[in-house]
Amino acid sequence: MAIDPNENVIRRAAEFLQDTDSLFVMTGAGISAESGIPTFRGANGLWRKYSVQDLATPHAFARNPALVWEWYRWRQDIILRAKPNAAHHALVRLERRMENFLLLTQNVDDLHRRAGTRNVREIHGNIFRKKCSRCGAKRDSKDVRSVKDSLPRCTCGALLRPDVVWFGEIIPSEIWNEALTFLRTAGVALFCGTSGVVWPAAGIPEIAIRQGLKTIEVNPEPTPISEIVHVSVRAKAGTALPEILRFLSH
Ligand code: BV8
Ligand code: ZN
């Protein structure tokens, strides 16, 4: 029977993972798509007529904090009703097989942690954490049900904002440095569910390739890195990751 083209790449991806004990994983919105969480650039887009670049900015929050909070609370509600999917669970099983494992996620939905991944770093923050727009105080609360119509405020009186990295804001340098340090000694890098358009995260695949890591992409669509990774699995993560794990010896 004709080998499913994907079967070959699944097998190759499994071989890379079999041969290493140090795995770097980077995920994007696509890994949460099968949990029912809309991606930023997918067909169903994200929200009404706005794009993420219109709302995920300090300027948007300064100009219309109520609109930005409405958008984040809409996303929080969807995320709270969502569950980690087979892709998140497959990454938990992969972590357990590795000596060294680091998962860098661009997602703010907390699903990797809810699935049980231990070594996850949120390069763009977490939608359930708030921080003060003035004094920087953090509130790690899921009090999504704070008074719906008023805006959450810090004890210092200033507005609280979602503790996420907006466009034009710098990403947490300690997470960035930890990822680059890990890449220096990792054997394989797996890129899953990201369109690879948002920097500086989008620069990581090339760094991994330059460092000589074996690189794998899992994405149903081609992306800017599809041509440069060693293995490109053109499939949904919820299908491909459990498949890859099936090929790994127990
Ligand atoms: C910074 C948190 C400057 C908030 C987000 C260099 C060149 C060009 C531009 C820039 C540059 N440097 C900086 C910029 C500007 C900007 C940028 O990159 N703009 C882009 C649009 C060109 N970058 C920034 O502003 C960054 N900050 O650099 O500041 C600076 C520098 C120094 C000093 C001071 C300032 C900060 C960017 C962070 C923005 N925050 N999110 C929130 O979530 O609300 S971005 C957000 O979109 C995500 O976090 C993610 O990073 C990004 C991309 O989304 P993806 O995760 O990739 O998802 P997407 O929807 O795009 O794609 C989904 C993919 O999944 C698709 O490929 C699809 O095929 C696939 N898929 C679908 N279903 C499945 C699937 N895959 C697998 N299985 C499935 N079932
Ligand atoms: Zn404050």
Side-chain angles (χ1 to χ4, degrees):
M1 62 121 175
I3 291 274
D4 166 350
N6 259 341
E7 170 136 346
N8 276 338
V9 289
I10 296 274
R11 203 186 290 276
R12 276 195 72 209
E15 277 159 21
F16 286 167
L17 294 169
Q18 190 73 55
D19 295 348
T20 187
D21 63 4
S22 179
L23 173 62
F24 177 85
V25 182
M26 183 163 103
T27 61
I31 199 159
S32 297
E34 291 162 271
S35 297
I37 296 174
T39 61
F40 291 96
R41 290 163 187 82
N44 56 2
L46 213 76
W47 195 52
R48 297 193 196 152
K49 56 183 184 302
Y50 299 100
S51 92
V52 61
Q53 268 114 295
D54 300 338
L55 293 163
T57 70
H59 180 65
F61 187 73
R63 202 183 52 234
N64 190 341
L67 177 73
V68 172
W69 262 119
E70 192 187 348
W71 178 50
Y72 277 95
R73 281 171 169 161
W74 174 76
R75 288 171 67 193
Q76 285 173 338
D77 285 344
I78 292 175
I79 293 165
L80 282 173
R81 283 198 300 272
K83 290 197 307 296
N85 65 61
H88 296 103
H89 294 305
L91 291 177
V92 173
R93 287 164 49 210
L94 258 181
E95 177 175 29
R96 293 192 182 134
R97 299 176 59 94
M98 295 289 160
E99 279 288 297
N100 304 300
F101 179 93
L102 184 65
L103 194 161
L104 191 70
T105 187
Q106 301 171 82
N107 301 337
V108 297
D109 60 28
D110 211 34
L111 285 186
H112 285 299
R113 192 174 292 114
R114 278 178 54 193
T117 295
R118 286 205 315 278
N119 266 350
V120 50
R121 300 287 179 275
E122 295 164 318
I123 190 169
H124 291 156
N126 183 302
I127 197 167
F128 294 110
R129 209 174 39 240
K130 295 184 180 79
K131 80 175 174 187
C132 177
S133 55
R134 180 164 54 201
C135 74
K138 303 247 178 174
R139 298 270 188 290
D140 207 350
S141 61
K142 293 210 168 173
D143 67 340
V144 175
R145 298 276 158 239
S146 64
V147 185
K148 211 63 176 146
D149 46 2
S150 78
L151 297 177
R153 286 193 178 272
C154 174
T155 42
C156 82
L159 282 174
L160 289 172
R161 53 164 282 186
D163 188 12
V164 296
V165 178
W166 280 332
F167 287 98
E169 294 187 322
I170 47 175
I171 57 168
S173 52
E174 66 283 357
I175 291 178
W176 181 256
N177 296 333
E178 183 183 8
L180 293 194
T181 305
F182 189 86
L183 282 171
R184 273 206 285 278
T185 55
V188 176
L190 166 63
F191 301 98
C192 198
T194 181
S195 60
V197 298
V198 170
W199 294 80
I204 288 187
E206 260 167 63
I207 294 171
I209 287 167
R210 251 203 327 272
Q211 309 260 31
L213 281 78
K214 291 282 187 262
T215 48
I216 304 164
E217 178 190 42
V218 174
N219 195 319
E221 305 291 329
T223 72
I225 66 165
S226 301
E227 296 311 311
I228 59 172
V229 293
H230 293 94
V231 173
S232 187
V233 184
R234 187 72 68 250
K236 290 185 172 185
T239 309
L241 292 181
E243 272 296 291
I244 291 170
L245 271 156
R246 261 177 3 93
F247 278 94
L248 290 179
S249 66
H250 299 292

